[in-house]
Each structure stands twice: as structure tokens, then as C-alpha cells.
């Protein structure tokens, strides 16, 4: 038990600040659709084919256009993605409402980048994934260690004093209360970063190999991107194939020969941007293939539920409120763990640490 206690304290001291910042940034992102503040953000969704096609043709004619994240029922603006991290918000009629040359001009973009990549791209994802696994150990070991002190349990939102004993007691008691929520947040978040971990979590729903194959996009090859693709025709084919689905993300190919992809969301899908996908030849606009998210294997469908649960895109205000408690608690627990470990350590522990450094 002493070894578990030591590992728990060192985990909190070394990774607690990362977990705290992820909890805070994630909580802020839960409400981004309310504070973005672009005129027209609250416009009702117009998902009819004619409106979406007209806006698509207008926006994709912009120099450097790379794709569109379409408006939905929470945020009534299209997001145009341009080259080199630039972009714009546009009304559903295709009129530009706000532009930016880099993500640093839009707080919702750089907060998102921090929460998902720590401003470090793929390397940042690895750090977040490791932090997620450490956080999982942190929660489980904390619950085990709390059992020894269960008779002293007192529910407090804030430590009685900022002394080490008070902070440690508050840490244990608050941690056991929010442990179920923290487990859900950490597990779903880590699933989106570490595919092997995700496959392990959804293994009870079906064969892992089948799930892995279903999550990989098919390989289609076509011609180079046409000078003026017929987006209206592509959207028409997509609506004919999935008549009840919403248009969610249009993406141009990254290199010659890759297809244009269009993601849609069917009513039964939880994932906000859907996993129903169509691929079109970039040169001719011919439909190369389509994937029905509702026909994917059970394991893949279980994986698709991780993000909406993690980002409170299901469950309404009640679930968003619980995730807010989870995020703020992670921020408090992580930051105070770092504070007590590095700045409020017992004097004897400090002397042993100094002696160890001298001996080295």
C-alpha cells in the first residue's frame, strides 16, 4: 500500500498540471457555442439541399479553400477552412461574417488545439494520451487509497486551510465523489487519442480486428482536383443516398489522386459530425463509395460514442453540468496535487530529497 501511495503522489506531482489544464480547457469547450460571439451564431439551421449547395459553391470558390464544417443546430454558422490555418465563419447563405489568418486570432480554435494537441501536433497527442493513462491510474489508485481513510470523510468543495494536511484530506474526499465522472471523462478522452486503448475498451462489443478495419477509411484513387468541382452535384448524390442525414464536413484531397470526402450525420448517430461518409472522384465528381455509420460493426459504433459522451453532445444540459463538475474537479485536484507535492512537502521528505541529490 505504501508503494501505491508513493506512485499515486508522484503521478499527481508529475502529470497533475497537465491534467488540470486539460480539465479547465475541456470545461471551457463545453460551452464554446455560447461564447464564440459571431453575429448569426444562433441562426436556426437550414439544412435543405438548395441552401447548403448554394453556400458550398460560394464558399469553396474562395482562394485557398480546403473544406467546410457545416452549421448545425447548436452553431448556426458554416466554418470555412483555408490554407495555412486560416479560416472564416460564414452565414448559411454564404456571407463571410468573420475571418482569421491563424488560429491565434480565435480563442475557440487555440483552446481546442491545446486540449487536443497541446500546441504540438502529433507529439502533443502522445503526451495527452500518456497523461490520460496516468490519470486513469490516478483515479483508480486514489479510490483504493481513500478506503483506508473512509471514516474521516467530509465533503468540502474547498480545503479548510491551504496547509498540506487539509489539502490532502480534501483531495481524497472530493476525489472519491467525482471518481465516476473522472473515469468517464478520462476513458473517453484517451480513447480518441490512443487507438490501441480504444480498441481494448470496445473489445467486448465485437472482434477487435473487425472494429479496426471498420474505423480505417477505404483507399480510393481518382484524378487530380478539377478546376471547378461540381459541389452541388456531389451534395445531390449524397442526399439521394442518405435522405435523412445532415451535411457535416466537406474536405478536399490533400494530394493528387485522393478523393473529396463528405461526412454526414444520420438522425440515429450520436457523433456530432457523423461517421457516415461518401467519397467522390476529385476530377469527375463521380461517387466512389459510401459508408453507412449505422451499418458499421458494433465495436466501431461503440467507439463513435466516445466523443459525444466526452464533449456532452448527448444528454442535454444535465450531462453537460455533470461534465462541468468533472472538468472543474480535475482542474482543482490536479493543481492542488502539484502544489502540495512540490511546495508543501513535509520537511523530512524535503531533507531526504536533498540528501538524495547530494549523494548523486
Amino acid at each position: 500500500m505504501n508503494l501505491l501511495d508513493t506512485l499515486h503522489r508522484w503521478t499527481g506531482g508529475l502529470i497533475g498540471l497537465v491534467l488540470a489544464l486539460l480539465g479547465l480547457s475541456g470545461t471551457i469547450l463545453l460551452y464554446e457555442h455560447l461564447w464564440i460571439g459571431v453575429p448569426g451564431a444562433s441562426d436556426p439551421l437550414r439544412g435543405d439541399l438548395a441552401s447548403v449547395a448554394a453556400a458550398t459553391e460560394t464558399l469553396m470558390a474562395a482562394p485557398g479553400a480546403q473544406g467546410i464544417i457545416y452549421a448545425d443546430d447548436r452553431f448556426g454558422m458554416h466554418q470555412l477552412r483555408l490554407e495555412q490555418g486560416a479560416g472564416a465563419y460564414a452565414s448559411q447563405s454564404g456571407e463571410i461574417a468573420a475571418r482569421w489568418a491563424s488560429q491565434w486570432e480565435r480563442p475557440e480554435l487555440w483552446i481546442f488545439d491545446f486540449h487536443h494537441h497541446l500546441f504540438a501536433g502529433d507529439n502533443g497527442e502522445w503526451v495527452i494520451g500518456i497523461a490520460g493513462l496516468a490519470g486513469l491510474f490516478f483515479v483508480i489508485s486514489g479510490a483504493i487509497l481513500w478506503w483506508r481513510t473512509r471514516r474521516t470523510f467530509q465533503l468540502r468543495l474547498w480545503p479548510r486551510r491551504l496547509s498540506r494536511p487539509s489539502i490532502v484530506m480534501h483531495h481524497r474526499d472530493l476525489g472519491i465523489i467525482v471518481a465516476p465522472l473522472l473515469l468517464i471523462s478520462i476513458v473517453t478522452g484517451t480513447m480518441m487519442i490512443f487507438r490501441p486503448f480504444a480498441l481494448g475498451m470496445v473489445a467486448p462489443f465485437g472482434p477487435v480486428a473487425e472494429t479496426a478495419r471498420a474505423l480505417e477509411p477505404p483507399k480510393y484513387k481518382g484524378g487530380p482536383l478539377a478546376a471547378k468541382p461540381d459541389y452541388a452535384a456531389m451534395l445531390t448524390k449524397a442526399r439521394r443516398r442518405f435522405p435523412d442525414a445532415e451535411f457535416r464536413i466537406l474536405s478536399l484531397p490533400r494530394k493528387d489522386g485522393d478523393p473529396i470526402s463528405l461526412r454526414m450525420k444520420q438522425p440515429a448517430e450520436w457523433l456530432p459530425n457523423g461517421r457516415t461518409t461518401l467519397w467522390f472522384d476529385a476530377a469527375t465528381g463521380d461517387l466512389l463509395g459510401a459508408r453507412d455509420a449505422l451499418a458499421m460493426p458494433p465495436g466501431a459504433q461503440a467507439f463513435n460514442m466516445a466523443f459525444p459522451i466526452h464533449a456532452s453532445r448527448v444528454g442535454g444540459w444535465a450531462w453537460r453540468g455533470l461534465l462541468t463538475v468533472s472538468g472543474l474537479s480535475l482542474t482543482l485536484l490536479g493543481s492542488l496535487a502539484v502544489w502540495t507535492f512540490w511546495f508543501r512537502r513535509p520537511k523530512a521528505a524535503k531533507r531526504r530529497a536533498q540528501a538524495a541529490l547530494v549523494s548523486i
Side-chain angles (χ1 to χ4, degrees), residues 10 16 26-27 55 72 105 114 117 168 190 194-195 199 202 268 298 353 355:
W10 274 93
T27 303
D72 60 16
E105 299 177 27
F114 174 83
H117 307 103
V168 169
T190 307
F194 275 165
R195 184 58 61 85
L199 293 175
V202 301

Side-chain angles (χ1 to χ4, degrees), residues 11 17 40 54 70 76 93 106-107 115 152 175 197 261 269 295 320 326 328 335 341 355:
T11 300
L17 184 59
Y70 291 105
S93 59
R106 299 298 311 181
H115 188 74
T152 64
F197 177 81
S261 69
E269 292 186 68
R320 186 174 298 126
S326 176
L328 294 179
S335 57
F341 185 83

Side-chain angles (χ1 to χ4, degrees), residues 19-297:
L19 292 173
L21 292 174
L22 290 175
L24 179 60
S25 58
T27 303
I28 294 172
L29 289 173
L30 291 176
Y31 300 92
E32 66 171 341
H33 62 291
L34 300 178
W35 54 259
I36 287 179
V38 179
S42 59
D43 288 351
L45 178 64
R46 302 204 311 268
D48 61 283
L49 177 60
S51 297
V52 176
T56 300
E57 294 285 2
T58 299
L59 294 175
M60 293 303 292
Q66 297 293 301
I68 300 173
I69 301 176
Y70 291 105
D72 60 16
D73 55 0
R74 292 211 319 175
F75 184 66
M77 306 287 287
H78 299 317
Q79 181 180 334
L80 176 64
R81 296 186 295 185
L82 302 170
E83 294 175 338
Q84 299 181 347
Y89 288 128
S91 69
Q92 294 179 59
S93 59
E95 299 173 355
I96 300 297
R99 293 179 179 270
W100 58 90
S102 75
Q103 67 173 13
W104 304 110
E105 299 177 27
R106 299 298 311 181
E108 67 275 13
L109 298 182
W110 62 258
I111 293 174
F112 180 89
D113 186 31
F114 174 83
H115 188 74
H116 286 253
H117 307 103
L118 294 179
F119 303 140
D122 293 340
N123 293 330
E125 287 191 358
W126 275 98
V127 175
I128 290 176
I130 293 171
L133 295 176
L136 189 61
F137 168 78
F138 199 48
V139 174
I140 295 173
S141 61
I144 295 172
L145 292 169
W146 173 84
W147 185 253
R148 299 180 303 174
T149 61
R150 63 190 182 279
R151 298 183 186 279
T152 64
F153 173 81
Q154 293 181 349
L155 178 59
R156 292 190 181 92
L157 298 179
W158 188 257
R160 179 180 296 176
R161 292 180 297 274
L162 289 181
S163 63
R164 187 178 189 278
S166 293
I167 292 175
V168 169
M169 291 180 62
H170 166 267
H171 181 94
R172 290 172 177 170
D173 293 341
L174 178 62
I176 199 64
I177 291 295
V178 299
L181 292 175
L182 291 179
L183 279 177
I184 293 173
S185 297
I186 292 172
V187 167
T188 54
T190 307
M191 284 176 64
M192 292 181 287
I193 297 296
F194 275 165
R195 184 58 61 85
F197 177 81
L199 293 175
M201 293 302 300
V202 301
F205 296 94
V208 171
E210 181 185 38
T211 300
R213 285 194 302 269
L215 293 175
E216 290 297 323
K219 305 296 184 182
Y220 292 114
K221 288 296 181 182
L225 182 65
K228 191 175 182 181
D230 190 348
Y231 298 108
M234 297 180 202
L235 295 173
T236 300
K237 294 175 185 178
R239 177 54 58 84
R240 189 180 301 123
R241 178 68 176 80
F242 300 103
D244 298 327
E246 299 176 10
F247 300 109
R248 293 306 310 127
I249 302 177
L250 175 71
S251 299
L252 294 187
R254 295 187 176 182
K255 61 180 184 293
D256 285 346
D258 285 352
I260 295 172
S261 69
L262 175 66
R263 285 178 63 172
M264 303 182 75
K265 177 183 180 296
Q266 299 186 70
E269 292 186 68
W270 282 18
L271 197 65
N273 289 325
R275 191 73 71 180
T276 298
T277 312
L278 301 96
W279 292 271
F280 299 90
D281 190 308
T284 65
D286 293 338
L287 180 61
L288 300 175
R291 177 175 60 192
D292 184 347
L294 301 181
M296 296 176 76

